[in-house]
Amino acid sequence: MYYLGLIGEYLKNYMKTRLTYRADFWVEVISDLLFQATNLIFIFVIFMHTNSLGGWSESEVVFVYGFFMVPFGIFSCFINLWGFSERYIVKGEMDRIMTRPAYNLFQIFLENVDPPALVGSIIGVIIMIVSGGQLGLGMEWWTIPAMLLFTLSATAIYTGIYTTLTSLSFYSDAPTGILPLMYNVQGYGRYPVTIYNRAIQVLLTWVLPFAFVGVYPASLFLEREEMQQMAWLTPLVGIVFLAIGLTAWNFGVKKYRGAGS
């Protein structure tokens, strides 16, 4: 209940800020929509020159992209670690976090909550509904529970990977770090992993498992039998990488000695 109360208080403060600067809210929403539209148009342009991409039709690729957007929007809203090193390490705000009784990582998540990012998740659901209709996909009794399970699992994968990389900031005061590079790598998860060469497939499956935030879970709903076993591994991969991320973070926090050290 204590942490639920904190969530409510942080969201109240967020709304007060946004009501003061309403234009910023809508600019952020529109910018995110334009970015997602650009990626979607890119897919359509590709299929203007081919009928299939690695054995995947246009509607299937669009469905995978739609699924990719759902957990990414949730992650961007509640697990926003962008700029952590500059704000909390270089500028010393981690000292303030460490003096409070709540779990430090939970505080950082709440301080950087970004509700406009959820618009991307909503658009992703719409894209899946439209492309699924074009493919003639049916709604089964397990569809919604499986969608929720895979969405939470994919969000856990994002959280684990980015928390692990962010924890490296405790060992270096570089203001940027590796997160911008990782943001570009995750873009490969928007498309079917089979269109890449074997080395990239292994990378996106077992090292940086961004294939589990897009094509693998989406393949279950697309009835791609060759990937359904991989789809059901998504919750396990989520648990493993979330555990790695939290372990790396907790170990890194112990190395933190304050802004003046």
Side-chain angles (χ1 to χ4, degrees):
M1 294 302 296
Y2 170 70
Y3 284 96
L4 289 176
L6 284 180
I7 294 174
E9 292 301 320
Y10 272 99
L11 289 177
K12 288 179 183 177
N13 290 333
Y14 174 86
M15 293 306 299
K16 290 177 182 178
T17 302
R18 287 304 187 184
L19 287 174
T20 303
Y21 304 100
R22 300 179 186 180
D24 292 344
F25 175 86
W26 291 111
V27 167
E28 186 174 350
V29 170
I30 293 173
S31 297
D32 185 63
L33 289 176
L34 289 175
F35 176 75
Q36 301 299 346
T38 301
N39 291 325
L40 196 58
I41 291 172
F42 177 72
I43 295 175
F44 293 144
V45 170
I46 290 177
F47 279 95
M48 291 175 62
H49 303 280
T50 181
N51 294 323
S52 174
L53 187 63
W56 296 72
S57 68
E58 179 182 54
S59 295
E60 287 178 322
V61 174
V62 171
F63 186 94
V64 171
Y65 180 69
F67 183 90
F68 170 88
M69 291 178 62
V70 177
F72 181 66
I74 296 174
F75 166 77
S76 299
C77 174
F78 297 104
I79 320 292
N80 187 354
L81 293 171
W82 194 267
F84 168 82
S85 182
E86 181 176 7
R87 176 179 176 182
Y88 291 94
I89 303 299
V90 177
K91 295 183 178 180
E93 291 195 30
M94 193 66 189
D95 291 356
R96 169 177 55 82
I97 296 294
M98 297 295 289
T99 59
R100 295 175 174 177
Y103 181 48
N104 47 75
L105 184 59
F106 185 76
Q107 293 183 62
I108 292 170
F109 287 162
L110 289 180
E111 286 190 354
N112 295 279
V113 67
D114 186 25
L118 289 176
V119 174
S121 296
I122 297 173
I123 299 300
V125 171
I126 295 174
I127 289 175
M128 283 192 292
I129 292 174
V130 174
S131 57
Q134 294 174 342
L135 292 166
L137 301 180
M139 178 74 73
E140 305 292 341
W141 65 267
W142 52 265
T143 301
I144 294 180
M147 185 69 69
L148 293 175
L149 174 64
F150 287 159
T151 297
L152 292 176
S153 300
T155 304
I157 293 172
Y158 277 122
T159 303
I161 292 175
Y162 279 93
T163 301
T164 299
L165 297 176
T166 302
S167 67
L168 298 177
S169 300
F170 293 112
Y171 305 93
S172 171
D173 58 359
T176 55
I178 198 173
L179 293 190
L181 174 62
M182 195 55 52
Y183 185 83
N184 291 328
V185 173
Q186 80 176 24
Y188 289 97
R190 302 186 185 118
Y191 312 107
V193 70
T194 53
I195 69 175
Y196 308 120
N197 63 44
R198 185 61 181 171
I200 295 180
Q201 289 184 37
V202 172
L203 174 68
L204 295 177
T205 300
W206 305 117
V207 182
L208 299 171
F210 289 119
F212 285 99
V213 304
V215 62
Y216 287 145
S219 66
L220 179 68
F221 308 103
L222 291 171
E223 301 176 355
R224 304 278 302 203
E225 295 183 359
E226 74 276 14
M227 289 189 175
Q228 288 190 4
Q229 290 185 342
M230 297 299 291
W232 288 113
L233 287 177
T234 304
L236 177 60
V237 175
I239 292 172
V240 170
F241 275 81
L242 182 60
I244 292 173
L246 293 178
T247 301
W249 176 271
N250 292 331
F251 188 79
V253 167
K254 293 179 181 179
K255 299 294 182 179
Y256 182 70
R257 294 294 180 267
S261 62

